[in-house]
């Protein structure tokens, strides 16, 4: 005849608990009863301060179960229950002061080049602006923050992987007097960057703070089109001195450019001006000037430069 859980519990009910006077099953100190293939295991959970009282009870329970038909191996252990910890003393404390934008070491000014929509020549304007300032003798850096469509390596004619001497900081590449960093230098030219927002923000922050930019008069940031996470992260992590908006003459392009202007106003970033790109085409044969994409769209709301002449 095999031993059962019910027969073990019935036997243990004949043993009295020395503290409560109930049997040790009703008193709730019999825990973790396991009965399997003639092997019986259970514990008596007691107050550790009264362990002397329960030593004989454990021996009595073990002997009683061993006498049951089918009991081949019996193990009874005493265990002490710990007193419940008091609830934590919750005291109001001052919240940590939020960290505002932090300056990038060595960088005097940050200028963002943005557009409301893609395809208006924003990256070309960024590269030309950087090279023009470098030609004027300024120390210029160019950060390609358009992670999904990095084009500055092609614009500046640089290639190769940036070095990292200590595995923490990145050495940017340089051409035409411009120090440049782009996610395009880390991936193959035909490889898509399939990242979610947090990875995107991490890459942008890494390119801002872990690149050895050196001493720069101005860092130009080529932003992706639209009004998304990258623009917000840039304004939150670093003090942006101003933004340049790039548009084309079409009314549709101007509509999106206005959204970009409003975004920077909400982030308290000054607008230095708007560039109307691809305004006209001059025929190389006859010299006729043609307004290929219309006329007067972007030009109607061209903004006056707020810091004219600041860099010479």
């Amino acid at each position: 005849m095999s031993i059962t859980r019910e027969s073990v519990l019935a036997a243990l009910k004949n043993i009295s608990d020395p503290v409560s006077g109930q049997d040790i099953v009703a008193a709730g100190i019999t825990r973790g009863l396991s009965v399997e293939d003639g092997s019986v295991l259970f514990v008596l959970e007691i107050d550790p301060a009264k362990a002397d009282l329960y030593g004989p009870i454990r021996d009595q329970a073990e002997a009683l179960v061993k006498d049951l038909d089918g009991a081949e191996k019996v193990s009874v252990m005493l265990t002490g229950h710990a007193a419940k910890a008091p609830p934590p003393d919750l005291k109001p404390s001052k919240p940590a002061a939020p960290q505002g934008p932090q300056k990038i070491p060595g960088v005097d000014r940050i200028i963002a080049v943005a557009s409301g929509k893609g395809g208006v020549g924003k990256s070309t304007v960024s590269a030309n602006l950087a090279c023009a300032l470098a030609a004027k003798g300024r120390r210029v850096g160019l950060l390609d923050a358009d992670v999904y469509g990095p084009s500055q390596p092609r614009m500046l004619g640089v290639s190769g992987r940036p070095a990292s001497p200590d595995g923490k900081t990145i050495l940017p590449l340089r051409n035409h007097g411009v120090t440049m960093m782009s996610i395009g230098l880390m991936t193959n030219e035909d490889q898509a960057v399939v990242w979610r927002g947090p990875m995107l923000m991490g890459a942008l922050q890494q390119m801002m703070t872990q690149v050895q930019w050196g001493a720069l008069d101005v860092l130009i940031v080529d932003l992706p089109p639209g009004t998304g996470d990258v623009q917000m992260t840039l304004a939150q992590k670093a003090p942006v001195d101003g933004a340049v908006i790039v548009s084309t003459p079409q009314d549709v392009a101007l509509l999106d450019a206005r959204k970009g202007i409003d975004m920077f106003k909400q982030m308290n970033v000054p607008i230095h001006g708007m560039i109307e790109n691809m305004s006209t085409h001059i025929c190389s044969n006859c010299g006729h000037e043609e307004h290929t994409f219309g006329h007067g769209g972007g030009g109607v709301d061209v903004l006056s430069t707020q810091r004219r002449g600041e860099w010479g």
Side-chain angles (χ1 to χ4, degrees), residues 24-54:
I24 60 175
V25 176
I29 66 172
T30 303
R31 302 291 181 89
L33 175 60
S34 172
V35 180
E36 186 176 356
D37 296 331
S39 178
V40 180
L41 171 66
F42 61 93
V43 297
L44 299 179
E45 188 172 318
I46 63 170
D47 183 351
K50 299 175 181 177
D52 292 341
L53 289 176
Y54 285 93

Side-chain angles (χ1 to χ4, degrees), residues 67-226:
D67 288 338
L68 296 176
D69 291 337
E72 297 177 4
K73 182 180 179 183
V74 179
S75 177
V76 184
M77 293 181 291
L78 290 179
T79 181
H81 62 77
K84 290 185 178 179
D89 186 13
L90 298 178
K91 294 181 179 179
S93 60
K94 282 187 176 181
Q99 283 193 341
Q102 304 293 313
K103 279 189 70 70
I104 300 175
V107 178
D108 289 342
R109 302 178 183 89
I110 298 177
I111 302 299
V113 179
S115 66
K117 64 181 299 181
V120 298
K122 167 186 52 60
S123 295
T124 305
V125 169
S126 299
N128 286 337
L129 181 59
C131 291
L133 288 171
K136 289 280 188 179
R138 302 296 186 263
R139 297 168 300 179
V140 184
L142 178 57
L143 171 58
D144 188 359
D146 192 352
V147 177
Y148 291 130
S151 54
Q152 292 303 340
R154 175 67 65 91
M155 294 282 183
L156 290 185
V158 296
S159 60
R161 298 293 175 94
S164 178
D166 57 0
K168 297 179 181 178
T169 55
I170 304 171
L171 302 180
L173 300 185
R174 186 174 174 85
N175 200 16
H176 302 297
V178 177
T179 303
M180 191 272 291
M181 184 61 202
S182 169
I183 197 68
L185 298 172
M186 307 291 193
T187 61
N188 297 328
E189 196 172 56
D190 57 350
Q191 180 182 350
V193 178
V194 186
W195 287 351
R196 293 188 182 274
M199 294 180 65
L200 192 70
M201 301 309 101
L204 175 61
Q205 189 168 352
Q206 190 175 20
M207 288 194 293
M208 287 194 298
T209 60
Q210 294 184 341
V211 170
Q212 290 187 5
W213 290 109
L216 297 180
D217 294 318
V218 58
L219 175 64
I220 296 173
V221 182
D222 179 16
L223 291 170

